[in-house]
Amino acid sequence: MTTSNTSTSTTPPTPQPSGRRTTAPDPGRGNGRSDSTAADALLWIELLLRQFPELLVELAPSYRSPSALRATPAGSGPAPAGPTRAEREEALRAEQAHGLTPSGSRTSPVRLHISDAVRDITDGVIELDEAVHDRLRMPRPRREQVSGRLLRVAGLLDRAAADDVLLEHIRDEARRMARRCTRALGGAEPVVRVGGRCPWCDSVSLRAFPARRAVLCVNPACRCTDPACDCRTDPAHRHAWSEGAWARLAAESGGDLAELTGATADTARREGGR
């Protein structure tokens, strides 16, 4: 069974000609925003470097150990030997490259979501590596494993700092792939409690979800008066405030806008520290 590759294009946006003369960024000019973006991009890359090997371990087919004792009915022949290490490695390579799974006895079912995540991240890292080299007018990068390519991109962050579009693209793609890896490994979405009371139910149930860039009321009984909100008809739905409504939410809930904004910051420090 094969599944479609859900990876998104990692080619950074190319500015369209507008007829106006633009000034090229000064490589020697630094600013606080680019420094912060570069630091966060590096942290997302480091998180991905730590988690991706764990994803490969989850992908590896799980067989019974050849040394494990097996019950053999009386009068039957010897139990078949388990696969050798070379056979297991070959099966893993086939799984990674083609999504194929070996036949024979297994102790775990096929985990297609792991296979899809591995292919998505692998393709995404390759495309990101090539896009960074192309944007920086460097020769096409040589072939390398995922970890090698990530380290290569991390080593080019200083040069990418002169291009805000490229730097943000690296940060966003590294964050997307790290989050995909975290979800595939069963990690929970980070949630941060924020001060104030929900304007609709008056309970201290406001929570920030940095990955969604939203604040939700987690009180199951909360219902708002907005006819367009599904919390009125769907018990599983929660009323949410997007970024544009945070100032009003802070005023109506008695909370602090600075605290709310900080709680919704989607940073690798928060993700890696959980």
Side-chain angles (χ1 to χ4, degrees):
M1 175 178 179
T2 58
T3 56
S4 59
N5 186 352
T6 58
S7 63
T8 57
S9 173
T10 59
T11 303
T14 301
Q16 298 297 322
S18 60
R20 295 175 299 184
R21 184 176 180 180
T22 59
T23 303
D26 180 5
R29 182 182 59 194
N31 57 73
R33 178 185 174 187
S34 65
D35 290 345
S36 176
T37 303
D40 209 34
L42 181 59
L43 289 174
W44 284 114
I45 291 173
E46 290 174 348
L47 180 61
L48 187 56
L49 280 167
R50 291 198 305 270
Q51 291 187 333
F52 189 71
E54 298 178 23
L55 201 62
L56 295 180
V57 171
E58 290 293 321
L59 178 63
S62 176
Y63 294 95
R64 289 184 182 274
S65 171
S67 61
L69 296 177
R70 304 185 185 185
T72 304
S76 64
T84 65
R85 179 176 180 178
E87 289 172 337
R88 291 196 299 270
E89 291 177 350
E90 178 61 29
L92 176 57
R93 285 193 293 270
E95 177 84 14
Q96 293 174 354
H98 309 292
L100 301 176
T101 55
S103 59
S105 175
R106 294 172 58 92
T107 60
S108 63
V110 178
R111 307 181 69 187
L112 291 178
H113 72 289
I114 298 291
S115 178
D116 285 346
V118 168
R119 279 183 284 175
D120 177 30
I121 294 170
T122 300
D123 291 345
V125 170
I126 292 173
E127 292 174 10
L128 178 61
D129 187 24
E130 293 179 347
V132 169
H133 279 72
D134 180 69
R135 185 82 170 191
L136 295 177
R137 304 182 187 279
M138 298 174 63
R140 185 182 181 90
R142 66 183 184 278
R143 291 188 177 186
E144 184 61 86
Q145 298 296 321
V146 168
S147 59
R149 288 182 182 271
L150 286 171
L151 290 172
R152 190 157 57 200
V153 171
L156 293 172
L157 286 176
D158 286 343
R159 295 185 60 176
D163 187 334
D164 289 341
V165 173
L166 175 61
L167 191 59
E168 290 179 3
H169 178 73
I170 296 173
R171 188 268 318 275
D172 293 346
E173 277 301 299
R175 178 171 58 194
R176 179 189 70 81
M177 291 185 287
R179 286 211 174 282
R180 178 78 190 266
C181 193
T182 299
R183 291 197 304 269
L185 290 171
E189 181 179 3
V191 181
V192 183
R193 182 172 182 171
V194 294
R197 292 183 174 272
C198 173
W200 299 114
C201 66
D202 200 39
S203 64
V204 286
S205 53
L206 296 177
R207 301 293 184 271
F209 290 76
R212 308 183 202 182
R213 295 288 294 166
V215 177
L216 278 68
C217 176
V218 297
N219 177 13
C222 182
R223 299 291 182 269
C224 72
T225 59
D226 183 359
C229 184
D230 291 336
C231 76
R232 296 162 54 89
T233 57
D234 183 359
H237 189 82
R238 298 290 179 266
H239 186 83
W241 289 266
S242 58
E243 188 171 0
W246 291 346
R248 180 178 177 182
L249 172 62
E252 293 179 348
S253 68
D256 179 36
L257 179 59
E259 177 201 5
L260 193 152
T261 303
T264 50
D266 190 11
T267 65
R269 287 186 180 87
R270 175 175 288 125
E271 183 77 10
R274 292 188 301 123

